Amino acid sequence: MLANFIGSIVSFCTRRAWIVIFLFTLLTAGSLFLTVQRLGVTTDTDEMFAASLPWKQRGAELSRLFPQNDDLMVAIIKADMPEQGRATARELAKILRADHKNFHTVRLPDDSPFLENHGLLYLDKPVLGSLLDSIVAAQPFLGTLSADPSARGIFSALGLMGEGLSAGEDIPESFTPELQGFAKALHEAAEGHPQDLSWQNLLAGPLANMAGDYQYVLTQPHQDFGSLQPGGEASAAMRRAIDSLPFVKSGNAIAMITGPVQLSDEEFSTVAHGMGLGLLTSLVLVACWLVLAVRSVRVIVPILITLVIGLLLTTGFAAIAVGKLNLISVAFAVLFVGIAVDFAIQFSVRFRGQRPASGGDMSPADALAETGRETGHQILVASLATAAGFLAFVPTNFVGVAQLGLIAGIGMIIAFLCTMTLLPSLLCLFRARLSRGEPGFRKLAGADRLLRRFRKPVLAFFALLALLGLALIPRLSFDADPLHTKNPDTEGMRALHLLEQDPRASPYDGEVIVPNLKIAAERVKQFEALPSVSSVMWLGMFVPENQTEKLAMIQDTASILLPTLVGQEVQPAPDANALRASAAAASGKLGAVLDKTAPGSPLRDIQKSLALLAKAPDAQILAANTALTRFLPEQLAQLVDVLQPTPVTLEGIPQDIARDYVLPDGRALLKILPKGRMSDSKVLYHFLSDMLSVDKNTAGTALEVVESAHTMVHAFSTAAISALVMIAIILFVALRRLLDMVLVLAPLMLSALLTVILIVTVPETLNFANIIALPLLLGVGVSFNIYFVMNWRAGIKSPLTSPTARAVLFSALTTGTAFGSLAASQHPGTASMGRLLLMSLACTLLATLTFIPALLPKRKIDAE
């Protein structure tokens, strides 16, 4: 009854072809209107999982309480010396703060007057003592520079060393690194290539090391989530600002942009490019395969038109149903083309192969109606089963795939309707003809006979493979780390890799909110005792240990040094002649005592360079003066500042720092930083397990990565079981025999187990991008199997020589082409999805063309 009904629909559409095409034109126009007006794209990864999940709620609560830590775009600056990095960061922040169109907050987390003033208190006592001793020993040198912060003052101070050696005084061994720094800087200046001198490294090395190798500019950009790159304008503005900075232009500093906003923009740009290119490539290559499949332009063009219109109608449904596509659901277009083409090929190949039972000729209209009766119910069952495979994901908490499942599932129904109505109408209007030759693969008749003759060994072989697949299931690995599916060559990812060695900048951390600072102190001790924890950032870390002893040490040094640095009358800036005279004088004083220096002493190099500078032209000596003293006044002022710290208490920490760690109601935030290589899943899981052993309410990126993995695995497990149950019900209703249902499902399960073997062997790690291949495996696999089993029920004796085998093969090739284009994507997640789709498709085709012919029970009509 159903077959006749579908045949009647096909017959009606061929008789009223223009009306059908007109109606589809109206529907397509409406879909296009809805797509333009309502369909958007979001790159907000927070929307990939249900907001009701406990770990999502914890993250949302943290975002609400500490909004300054969300939606960040970060500039990472690395310079040849600390002063250049700090100056570059400050200038960049100044430019970005003035850009209210693209940025609403800009921060320099390491550039704090409070931290600079109290910097010495954060050093360990031995390191502090050594630094203070070297500063005291340099008092005469610093006094000279304070009175004359120019190259003249530097030359004069170096000349004093010559006088000291002449008087029999020794230069402290601790001065050697500083002298080597001067020797290198003076050599470059004497050669006519003056380089800035880092006074911070010379005078306060340990303090410079505390800040690390990078400077950070943290911004919260304005984002347009209706754009493919919501932070695109802000990123472009930041890049323009970076490129305009003096030290970036000179090559002394580099700056890279990263952060969640930048990474999301880069990822979606790569994904969208890959999907767009994949869709275009799919349509072109599908057309090529169709040439081989149906061998007629009059058939190929209707198939392609049907595909495009079906895709547009599905897109219109997406505009109504979801409104915004996400990073995963954007793949529906390629999936639609890959699967819907199977329906069209099945219909068209069977149409081309129609022959009247009594011989003679058959009109195209009659052939279309007969094709509808023969294939319509098969394609309907296949489309319903495929849709069930996708729709099973809709109720899950993995919103990204749930959305894809809804669009792709309904898309399968749309594809069926288009195949049974629009395609026959187009074939009629294009005057498609029946094939003159045999539509199937007659040369495979021998393979058919062999599979039937040796069916028991074939089935035994596949049974062994199935057992192997079952045994390998525990070896499947799932990686939910979103960073591993991003393109590592983008700027944001390259910048992130630079920071892997710095625990403070780790993208994996834990966050805990505790009731007050007293409890926070207890928790910190517990967390820091964990072997997987590097450190804990909290407000209390800004209160230095052993303050009394350190303050006394600093005050002793200040009493000696500050009178030398403060209140002196500063000499006017020297001209070229004064600089040359000072260089000549210093060179003479050092030259007179060279015999008292060791052969490798940096003073020998300094003397040679000073002698050359004493004869340098005006431009060279003035350039040397600028380079040598560019950062000197700032460093002298900072030295005065750090020698006058005050005791630090929790209450005295400035608000701009405290607000990142303490809420107005007294609750405190702890940020737990990991130890080890967090890109290793085992290390990450161990880190999270340790944190949860201390506080079950731990949140943060480490928890999100692990819990998202659990959510995805649970979603796919639940959906897979649900899909199999729904497919089984559909098959039982359609086939009405338990045996026939098993004949369809058995190859499906086998292809899944064969895919497991390939995944483990290749190997291919499952991730949140490629795991959508699994519902597709169910959909494509069940379609192919249904065609063969229903043909067997209809009495076809040689499945491999039938038009169905030809249609299945070319369906697989066209589908594989669509998915293969994804495998060539620059986006690792998309590429892995393409690879897994190809592997699952190959396994499905193998099971369909070899396992099913051997599996089908022998009938009375089969030859012995």
Side-chain angles (χ1 to χ4, degrees):
M1 179 183 294
L2 180 61
N4 291 331
F5 175 70
I6 296 176
S8 300
I9 292 176
V10 173
S11 178
F12 174 83
C13 291
T14 56
R15 294 195 308 270
R16 301 289 187 270
W18 282 113
I19 295 176
V20 173
I21 291 172
F22 175 73
L23 291 175
F24 270 96
T25 301
L26 291 179
L27 288 172
T28 303
S31 293
L32 284 171
F33 177 78
L34 287 171
T35 299
V36 173
Q37 295 295 318
R38 297 189 55 173
L39 188 63
V41 178
T42 179
T43 58
D44 191 352
T45 55
D46 285 341
E47 298 181 11
M48 296 292 285
F49 298 93
S52 59
L53 291 166
W55 59 273
K56 284 288 293 179
Q57 292 177 338
R58 280 186 247 172
E61 179 69 1
L62 277 169
S63 297
R64 185 184 68 81
L65 296 175
F66 297 93
Q68 66 269 31
N69 297 329
D70 267 3
D71 299 325
L72 293 178
M73 181 179 288
V74 183
I76 299 175
I77 299 166
K78 181 175 175 59
D80 294 340
M81 56 188 64
E83 294 95 332
Q84 292 173 339
R86 184 168 59 248
T88 301
R90 286 175 175 174
E91 183 63 23
L92 177 60
K94 179 181 177 182
I95 296 173
L96 299 183
R97 285 189 180 114
D99 185 359
H100 301 294
K101 174 186 175 183
N102 292 304
F103 302 94
H104 56 83
T105 67
V106 179
R107 290 182 288 154
L108 293 171
D110 296 325
D111 192 7
S112 165
F114 170 82
L115 295 177
E116 288 187 1
N117 177 233
H118 296 85
L120 292 176
L121 292 176
Y122 297 106
L123 297 174
D124 293 334
K125 284 177 62 178
V127 177
L128 175 62
S130 176
L131 175 60
L132 294 177
D133 289 343
S134 66
I135 293 175
V136 170
Q139 181 188 15
F141 189 87
L142 293 173
T144 302
L145 294 179
S146 181
D148 187 3
S150 67
R152 179 181 58 195
I154 297 173
F155 301 156
S156 298
L158 292 171
L160 290 177
M161 293 187 181
E163 293 178 4
L165 288 172
S166 179
E169 298 176 4
D170 293 327
I171 297 176
E173 191 70 27
S174 60
F175 266 33
T176 301
E178 287 79 3
L179 290 176
Q180 289 172 339
F182 281 121
K184 180 180 178 181
L186 290 172
H187 174 75
E188 296 291 337
E191 292 292 323
H193 310 292
Q195 300 292 325
D196 291 343
L197 184 62
S198 175
W199 289 95
Q200 183 169 334
N201 284 335
L202 289 174
L203 300 179
L207 283 180
N209 295 334
M210 284 182 64
D213 295 330
Y214 302 98
Q215 294 283 331
Y216 303 97
V217 180
L218 308 183
T219 71
Q220 287 181 308
H222 294 294
Q223 298 184 75
D224 176 13
F225 284 105
S227 167
L228 290 179
Q229 294 179 283
E233 289 190 16
S235 177
M238 182 179 286
R239 175 49 59 190
R240 288 193 298 270
I242 288 171
D243 292 341
S244 70
L245 300 174
F247 289 120
V248 173
K249 286 183 175 181
S250 66
N252 296 111
I254 60 170
M256 303 178 73
I257 305 173
T258 187
V261 173
Q262 179 73 6
L263 291 172
S264 294
D265 281 359
E266 290 173 345
E267 178 171 35
F268 197 84
S269 175
T270 309
V271 170
H273 179 266
M275 291 297 177
L277 182 62
L279 179 59
L280 179 62
T281 305
S282 298
L283 289 172
V284 172
L285 294 179
V286 161
C288 296
W289 285 119
L290 289 175
V291 171
L292 297 175
V294 297
R295 302 174 183 174
S296 171
V297 175
R298 296 176 184 271
V299 178
I300 293 171
V301 174
I303 290 176
L304 291 177
I305 293 174
T306 302
L307 277 180
V308 172
I309 290 179
L311 178 59
L312 293 175
L313 293 177
T314 304
T315 306
F317 168 76
I320 298 173
V322 301
K324 284 187 178 181
L325 300 175
N326 58 51
L327 285 168
I328 293 179
S329 60
V330 73
F332 85 89
V334 175
L335 297 184
F336 179 90
V337 171
I339 301 178
V341 71
D342 168 62
F343 302 160
I345 289 177
Q346 287 291 337
F347 187 94
S348 301
V349 170
R350 297 283 282 275
F351 159 70
R352 294 268 289 163
Q354 287 295 333
R355 300 290 185 271
S358 58
D361 295 328
M362 189 177 197
S363 70
D366 290 340
L368 286 170
E370 183 61 27
T371 302
R373 280 189 289 273
E374 286 183 0
T375 66
H377 62 299
Q378 295 181 4
I379 296 175
L380 174 61
V381 175
S383 65
L384 291 175
T386 305
F390 283 115
L391 293 173
F393 290 86
V394 173
T396 67
N397 287 319
F398 191 6
V399 176
V401 172
Q403 191 181 94
L404 174 66
L406 176 63
I407 300 170
I410 299 301
M412 295 301 96
I413 306 302
I414 293 173
F416 167 75
L417 294 175
C418 289
T419 302
M420 294 298 119
T421 55
L422 178 61
L423 181 58
S425 301
L426 290 170
L427 289 171
C428 181
L429 289 178
F430 276 80
R431 298 180 181 178
R433 300 187 181 95
L434 305 184
S435 173
R436 294 181 180 177
E438 293 292 337
F441 296 119
R442 288 300 174 188
K443 293 182 180 180
L444 293 181
D448 255 327
R449 288 192 295 270
L450 285 174
L451 287 173
R452 299 300 294 174
R453 180 181 302 173
F454 300 103
R455 61 190 303 262
K456 290 184 179 180
V458 171
L459 294 177
F461 173 73
F462 279 113
L464 290 175
L465 288 179
L467 291 174
L468 177 60
L470 282 171
L472 290 178
I473 288 177
R475 296 185 59 181
L476 290 176
S477 58
F478 186 83
D479 182 5
D481 190 339
L483 295 181
H484 293 170
T485 61
K486 299 180 187 294
N487 184 353
D489 297 324
T490 63
E491 180 181 5
M493 284 300 295
R494 284 187 284 113
L496 203 62
H497 289 318
L498 288 177
L499 305 177
E500 284 185 343
Q501 304 304 318
D502 184 358
R504 298 183 310 157
S506 173
Y508 312 92
D509 62 19
E511 294 180 300
V512 176
I513 295 179
V514 295
N516 53 58
L517 288 172
K518 181 179 179 181
I519 295 177
E522 298 172 358
R523 286 283 193 278
V524 167
K525 292 179 181 178
Q526 293 174 293
F527 280 120
E528 289 184 337
L530 298 173
S532 60
V533 171
S534 169
S535 61
V536 179
M537 297 179 67
W538 69 299
L539 191 67
M541 71 181 182
F542 294 100
V543 179
E545 297 178 349
N546 304 315
Q547 286 192 72
T548 303
E549 296 92 330
K550 292 178 182 178
L551 284 169
M553 294 166 65
I554 296 170
Q555 287 168 0
D556 288 344
T557 301
S559 64
I560 299 171
L561 203 60
L562 286 182
T564 307
L565 299 176
V566 178
Q568 292 200 47
E569 183 179 349
V570 179
Q571 297 185 34
D575 58 16
N577 289 328
L579 291 169
R580 280 191 290 265
S582 179
S587 175
K589 291 177 181 178
L590 290 174
V593 294
L594 287 182
D595 59 332
K596 297 183 178 182
T597 61
S601 172
L603 285 176
R604 291 176 176 267
D605 295 329
I606 290 173
Q607 191 274 330
K608 291 178 183 178
S609 298
L610 288 172
L612 291 174
L613 287 171
K615 302 173 184 178
D618 288 3
Q620 182 178 349
I621 194 70
L622 290 174
N625 178 63
T626 299
L628 292 171
T629 62
R630 186 187 304 275
F631 301 114
L632 177 57
E634 178 186 357
Q635 186 58 38
L636 290 174
Q638 186 176 348
L639 183 58
V640 171
D641 187 38
V642 299
L643 289 174
Q644 302 180 81
T646 56
V648 179
T649 62
L650 286 172
E651 295 74 21
I653 296 173
Q655 182 58 31
D656 62 330
I657 295 176
R659 69 184 178 188
D660 287 338
Y661 298 96
V662 177
L663 295 168
D665 61 7
R667 286 182 291 170
L669 173 67
L670 309 181
K671 298 191 72 170
I672 304 101
L673 305 179
K675 184 188 298 180
R677 187 170 171 266
M678 289 296 105
S679 55
D680 185 334
S681 296
K682 292 181 180 179
V683 177
L684 177 63
Y685 276 68
H686 180 60
F687 172 58
L688 178 62
S689 176
D690 279 354
M691 288 191 295
L692 292 174
S693 70
V694 174
D695 195 316
K696 296 295 184 184
N697 294 315
T698 297
T701 52
L703 176 78
E704 290 173 1
V705 170
V706 173
E707 287 299 328
S708 61
H710 292 159
T711 302
M712 284 185 254
V713 171
H714 181 266
F716 275 90
S717 301
T718 303
I721 295 172
S722 302
L724 287 174
V725 171
M726 286 190 290
I727 290 172
I729 293 173
I730 291 170
L731 293 175
F732 187 76
V733 171
L735 303 176
R736 299 179 184 177
R737 286 201 308 181
L738 184 61
L739 173 63
D740 295 352
M741 181 187 75
V742 173
L743 291 176
V744 174
L745 290 179
L748 184 65
M749 300 306 297
L750 174 66
S751 58
L753 294 172
L754 293 178
T755 304
V756 170
I757 295 174
L758 278 184
I759 291 173
V760 175
T761 304
V762 170
E764 184 73 48
T765 302
L766 296 176
N767 56 54
F768 79 88
N770 66 24
I771 201 169
I772 66 172
L774 301 185
L776 187 68
L777 169 65
L778 295 176
V780 175
V782 77
S783 297
F784 291 174
N785 301 343
I786 285 170
Y787 301 142
F788 274 87
V789 172
M790 295 187 79
N791 284 344
W792 172 78
R793 280 165 56 99
I796 291 179
K797 296 182 179 180
S798 301
L800 294 184
T801 63
S802 67
T804 298
R806 181 184 185 86
V808 164
L809 177 61
F810 282 102
S811 291
L813 291 174
T814 51
T815 303
T817 297
F819 300 153
S821 65
L822 298 180
S825 172
Q826 292 183 343
H827 183 263
T830 303
S832 69
M833 177 173 66
R835 292 193 300 270
L836 190 53
L837 287 170
L838 282 174
M839 286 191 286
S840 64
L841 184 63
C843 294
T844 297
L845 192 61
L846 176 65
T848 301
L849 296 181
T850 59
F851 180 64
I852 289 182
L855 179 68
L856 294 174
K858 191 174 182 179
R859 301 160 298 184
K860 292 181 180 180
I861 61 173
D862 292 327
E864 292 296 333

